Amino acid sequence: MENFDELYYQRPYQKEFDAEVVSCEPCGEGYLIELTRTAFYPEGGGQPSDRGIFQLDGQADIKVGDVQKHGDRILHTADREITVGCQVHGVIDWQRRMDYTQAHSGEHIISGLIHNHFGYDNVGFHMSEESVTIDISGVLTWDELMEVERETNAVIRSNVPVEESFPEGGDLEKLDYRSKKELTGKVRIITIPGADTCACCGTHVMRTGEIGMVKCLSMIHYKKGVRIELVCGRKALLDYERKVDQNAEISHLLSAKPYETAEAVERVKEELTVANQKLNAWISRYFDGRIKELAKQEAFLIDFEEDIDRNSCRKFCDRLVKESMAPTCAVITAQVDEKGVYAYCICSSAVNLRNLTKTINSSLDGRGGGSPEMIQGSFHAEKDRIQEVLTEIFSA
């Protein structure tokens, strides 16, 4: 049962501490270290553990890469052995701790507001180095989520205190709070006035202003509800900086104003669609001419082209068979950007190509496959060798 008496609860903003080593056990390539006390937060409640270092007098820093709770014990995974009874000075990776703290508090606000406005529960919660995902039990529209996001950031700007309490007995039973599971023993309640009341064992900011901001990145349908991806605090600022930089580059490339890049991209897409239509028409005319130049074959026809795209290669090969240029046809095209590589497509109305794929690829250092009627891929072989092997296989 959690007693909430560790340093990461009692003094949540303490970055360094001193303690004595109680035990040191080998584990894999590291050691599991137990201390008399710790400010390192162990993984739990959807929040990853702290990382940092142990310092010993006259020795190099010892890395702490993970912290886990095992029953009543908190075990730190260290990269070196430490003698039991030694005094160590623990230093927490504070930026990592604050990133997760900002994210956890920000998630509470947005989940609490969704619950308050729509009655949906947060049924899944995951924090990674990049972002936070939350699974909500009902469906929201993007506009509804954006309204919740605006309200979340208003709560952050109001800089209200994040309250911690441990109600017991009847007081806890009367309290309306969020929890994913039935709780026993001592229950820690985190309250953000006007936004959320939730049972939680994670780390939190002292006041909402310390979160900075919350930004939702995406929302997809997931099971019977939605999965929301969001960033908080420093991570939200970094995300904003990256997107501003990218948008500025797009703005420059398209000669468009920063707030008009979407319209500029849409214009480019329309222009590209028209250009592709014209290109396909020219390719079709080119293939009309090639068919007139090629002689029909009784069993097998092979045609080498210079750097046509793989899609056109497939379409032309299919057309050769349908126009009865040969029962089996192969179109081979050299890839200008891949020296010594030929893209291939083989179509047939006479043989099962899937049964021959392994033989063809092994003979020509090829990669690819397909259906009984069509296979495609690439060869790493000389042109003459490709012609020799395929002619032997299909003209036999």
Side-chain angles (χ1 to χ4, degrees):
M1 183 179 72
E2 179 66 74
N3 292 315
F4 302 100
D5 55 0
E6 292 292 349
L7 286 176
Y8 50 82
Y9 287 130
Q10 298 298 319
R11 301 175 187 175
Y13 279 32
Q14 184 164 333
K15 304 174 185 179
E16 303 182 18
F17 66 100
D18 295 304
E20 181 180 320
V21 176
V22 173
S23 67
C24 178
E25 306 163 7
C27 179
E29 297 182 356
Y31 294 87
L32 298 179
I33 310 295
E34 183 180 5
L35 305 176
T36 51
R37 62 177 192 162
T38 185
F40 281 87
Y41 179 78
E43 181 179 8
Q47 181 174 330
S49 75
D50 285 335
R51 293 176 186 167
I53 58 172
F54 289 147
Q55 295 176 333
L56 283 76
D57 290 340
Q59 297 187 32
D61 292 344
I62 298 173
K63 293 182 181 178
V64 178
D66 185 44
V67 187
Q68 297 290 329
K69 190 156 191 178
H70 296 266
D72 293 332
R73 304 174 71 198
I74 297 175
L75 301 179
H76 310 71
T77 301
D79 65 349
R80 294 210 313 276
E81 184 177 9
I82 308 176
T83 303
V84 173
C86 278
Q87 293 291 320
V88 298
H89 183 71
V91 181
I92 295 169
D93 180 341
W94 193 247
Q95 180 170 286
R96 174 184 169 87
R97 160 73 78 84
M98 281 307 297
D99 283 343
Y100 285 127
T101 298
Q102 288 175 321
H104 210 147
S105 297
E107 176 272 322
H108 267 237
I109 299 174
I110 203 164
S111 294
L113 290 174
I114 289 173
H115 180 75
N116 294 342
H117 291 315
F118 303 98
Y120 301 149
D121 293 320
N122 177 336
V123 293
F125 171 48
H126 176 72
M127 304 171 76
S128 72
E129 296 279 356
E130 293 78 28
S131 62
V132 175
T133 58
I134 55 176
D135 298 334
I136 301 300
S137 63
V139 177
L140 298 171
T141 66
W142 184 255
D143 286 343
E144 288 171 336
L145 180 60
M146 289 300 95
E147 186 57 41
V148 171
E149 178 188 284
R150 284 187 282 272
E151 189 174 349
T152 296
N153 284 305
V155 171
I156 291 171
R157 290 192 300 274
S158 68
N159 200 30
V160 296
V162 176
E163 302 169 356
E164 176 190 66
S165 62
F166 299 91
E168 298 178 354
D171 291 336
L172 182 61
E173 292 176 3
K174 295 176 185 176
L175 190 64
D176 182 17
Y177 65 95
R178 294 189 302 113
S179 178
K180 293 186 182 68
K181 60 184 180 180
E182 183 134 354
L183 301 174
T184 58
K186 194 173 184 179
V187 178
R188 178 178 182 244
I189 298 295
I190 298 297
T191 300
I192 301 174
D196 187 40
T197 301
C198 182
C200 182
C201 62
T203 62
H204 289 278
V205 296
M206 303 294 287
R207 303 186 72 90
T208 58
E210 296 172 60
I211 299 169
M213 64 180 293
V214 168
K215 183 67 189 127
C216 295
L217 304 180
S218 66
M219 181 174 67
I220 61 172
H221 287 280
Y222 182 74
K223 295 184 177 178
K224 294 182 180 181
V226 292
R227 171 167 287 179
I228 300 167
E229 182 184 17
L230 57 97
V231 283
C232 305
R234 188 181 71 92
K235 295 294 181 70
L237 179 60
L238 291 175
D239 181 76
Y240 179 68
E241 288 175 352
R242 286 194 296 267
K243 287 175 178 174
V244 167
D245 290 344
Q246 289 179 2
N247 193 58
E249 182 66 18
I250 294 170
S251 173
H252 173 71
L253 292 171
L254 298 179
S255 299
K257 295 179 180 179
Y259 289 104
E260 297 176 359
T261 51
E263 292 87 343
V265 170
E266 190 62 39
R267 286 196 299 271
V268 170
K269 285 179 60 180
E270 292 172 358
E271 292 168 0
L272 185 59
T273 297
V274 172
N276 282 333
Q277 289 172 347
K278 291 180 179 179
L279 176 61
N280 289 334
W282 280 107
I283 291 173
S284 181
R285 293 191 191 102
Y286 169 74
F287 288 150
D288 289 343
R290 286 293 292 145
I291 288 175
K292 292 177 181 179
E293 294 172 357
L294 296 170
K296 289 188 177 183
Q297 304 294 321
E298 290 187 6
F300 177 62
L301 182 150
I302 185 168
D303 175 49
F304 285 88
E305 297 290 339
E306 289 298 324
D307 197 39
I308 62 173
D309 66 88
R310 293 173 184 261
N311 188 47
S312 296
C313 181
R314 179 184 58 78
K315 287 182 177 179
F316 185 42
C317 191
D318 181 62
R319 183 174 168 185
L320 289 174
V321 172
K322 287 181 177 177
E323 297 198 15
S324 301
M325 296 300 294
T328 302
C329 297
V331 177
I332 316 294
T333 175
Q335 301 296 283
V336 171
D337 56 345
E338 299 179 81
K339 191 173 181 180
V341 178
Y342 287 83
Y344 75 84
C345 181
I346 305 173
C347 295
S348 181
S349 61
V351 297
N352 187 324
L353 295 173
R354 182 181 288 165
N355 294 340
L356 296 171
T357 301
K358 187 175 181 179
T359 300
I360 293 170
N361 284 334
S362 62
S363 300
L364 296 169
D365 190 14
R367 304 289 185 275
S371 67
E373 297 80 21
M374 186 273 291
I375 59 174
Q376 58 186 343
S378 60
F379 296 138
H380 293 74
E382 297 296 327
K383 178 179 178 180
D384 291 345
R385 176 63 178 164
I386 294 172
Q387 180 151 0
E388 176 188 348
V389 169
L390 294 183
T391 301
E392 182 180 344
I393 291 174
F394 292 111
S395 296

